[in-house]
Amino acid sequence: MPKTEQGVVDAVEIWLNNNGFKDIKALPAGKRGYDIKAQNLKTGERWLIEAKGGAHDGSDTSNASWGRVGAAFEMAAGWRFEKGIEAERFAIAVPKSKWFDRHLDRIRPALRYLGISTFQVSDDGTVEFIDNQPSQVVPHAVTA
């Protein structure tokens, strides 16, 4: 059964603590705001992470998973171009499961191009991280 949003947030928070991040602020699932904010000690980069999880009853379908992956992507991509965002790096965090994997695979080229990294959380809490570096071709902020 894929991790719920709170399970995803908790696992990523532990991973960040164990991998050289500080000032980690993780919101409880359902609260409005950035799901996870953190700073990388090695690079000094500030990160914003949008998390989505599986259904509480475990009944994730293809469409439900696609909707959650799409919503996380839309949020992170919006941050990437929003003026005044206090972060240099952006990521999405989702469960690792058949449907989440399939739909995340569909957008991997866009994630790489936009420099949006991914965290995938297995049922046992293991986190798989893919570091997509931001492209210099894509501006950080666009004014409307």
Side-chain angles (χ1 to χ4, degrees):
M1 179 163 86
K3 290 275 189 192
T4 62
E5 183 171 324
Q6 190 62 55
V8 169
V9 168
D10 292 345
V12 172
E13 184 177 12
I14 291 167
W15 188 94
L16 292 168
N17 272 306
N18 292 334
N19 285 277
F21 286 79
K22 67 174 186 172
D23 296 332
I24 302 164
K25 292 177 181 55
L27 290 178
K31 294 286 185 183
R32 295 190 57 82
Y34 304 119
D35 291 329
I36 305 171
K37 293 169 57 172
Q39 186 171 15
N40 185 312
L41 281 169
K42 184 177 178 183
T43 66
E45 294 169 321
R46 295 165 298 179
W47 284 68
L48 294 179
I49 303 165
E50 176 66 14
K52 296 294 179 200
H56 287 278
D57 65 3
S59 64
D60 285 304
T61 62
S62 175
N63 285 344
S65 300
W66 177 236
R68 292 183 185 109
V69 168
F73 173 75
E74 181 180 11
M75 186 65 71
W79 293 338
R80 177 81 168 88
F81 295 100
E82 189 174 326
K83 187 175 182 172
I85 294 286
E86 294 185 7
E88 292 83 25
R89 298 294 304 276
F90 305 94
I92 63 173
V94 297
K96 184 158 185 56
S97 71
K98 173 186 173 181
W99 292 117
F100 278 94
D101 292 357
R102 183 169 293 171
H103 297 307
L104 192 59
D105 285 345
R106 294 172 69 187
I107 63 169
R108 282 196 196 280
L111 292 165
R112 280 191 298 272
Y113 181 77
L114 294 174
I116 299 171
S117 298
T118 59
F119 294 89
Q120 281 189 273
V121 181
S122 298
D123 292 350
D124 67 1
T126 304
V127 175
E128 179 182 312
F129 173 66
I130 296 177
D131 188 9
N132 290 319
Q133 294 289 326
S135 168
Q136 295 304 316
V137 175
V138 180
H140 172 69
V142 183
T143 57

